[in-house]
Amino acid sequence: MGKYKDVREVIVNTLSDEKWHGVDEIQSKCEGEGINLEGDRGPIYNVVHQLKKKGKVEANGMGEYRICNQDIEHIEKGGCESFCSQKNELLKNIESIEIYLVKYRNFDWINCSDEELQDARSNVTTLLDLARKIEKEFRRI
């Protein structure tokens, strides 16, 4: 976990000028800081991916990244307000999913219309796909 924190620091420091930077440059700076990646760019891509998901970093589609236009100190401190907001949104979404789980657990699969059946099947498939994605992500941790 220490490696990812160090890589994150290098990425934030590198991208803090709000210019585009490639993975080669980020890897060189990591190695210059003594972070041994052993030729594996996975940690860089993972950290960049997490920062992109949080809206902190943007990609230009050509393997280059930069910090989004926002307060850079906020990113370095971890953005507590953003985290709290995301956590509240996650809790609301989990509650919605749980409502649908109960709905489909008690669904009358035999005595419903064809339209209701197709809708229910589609939603259950979507929920099952989401469950697989979540399980796959947590296996990597």
Side-chain angles (χ1 to χ4, degrees):
M1 182 137 171
K3 181 186 283 190
Y4 281 87
K5 182 180 178 195
D6 294 341
V7 169
R8 184 177 195 273
E9 270 184 41
V10 170
I11 290 172
V12 169
N13 290 337
T14 302
L15 303 182
S16 65
D17 64 0
E18 297 184 34
K19 294 180 182 174
W20 295 103
H21 298 276
V23 174
D24 291 334
E25 180 182 351
I26 294 169
Q27 183 178 7
S28 295
K29 289 192 179 197
C30 285
E31 290 168 356
E33 291 289 322
I35 303 168
N36 188 6
L37 298 174
E38 300 173 3
D40 179 23
R41 294 180 172 184
I44 295 171
Y45 288 121
N46 289 336
V47 172
V48 167
H49 177 73
Q50 291 301 318
L51 290 170
K52 280 175 36 181
K53 281 181 18 181
K54 293 177 183 177
K56 312 286 185 198
V57 169
E58 62 182 324
N60 68 359
M62 298 186 314
E64 294 180 326
Y65 308 96
R66 73 175 179 185
I67 289 237
C68 294
N69 294 330
Q70 57 186 330
D71 182 12
I72 293 168
E73 286 180 18
H74 180 71
I75 293 171
E76 291 172 347
K77 291 179 181 172
C80 182
E81 296 90 21
S82 175
F83 175 76
C84 294
S85 161
Q86 289 175 350
K87 183 177 179 180
N88 289 337
E89 188 174 335
L90 175 63
L91 292 174
K92 287 179 192 174
N93 290 332
I94 289 171
E95 187 177 322
S96 295
I97 290 170
E98 288 173 343
I99 289 169
Y100 277 93
L101 289 174
V102 170
K103 176 181 177 180
Y104 292 120
R105 190 177 307 125
N106 299 324
F107 190 74
D108 188 0
W109 293 92
I110 295 178
N111 297 319
C112 63
S113 70
D114 286 341
E115 184 178 320
E116 290 173 321
L117 181 62
Q118 291 301 91
D119 187 48
R121 283 181 177 165
S122 174
N123 289 339
V124 168
T125 300
T126 302
L127 288 169
L128 289 170
D129 289 344
L130 177 61
R132 284 187 209 97
K133 286 179 189 176
I134 291 170
E135 188 173 344
K136 183 178 177 182
E137 284 298 317
F138 281 106
R139 282 187 190 152
R140 287 198 256 177
I141 294 178

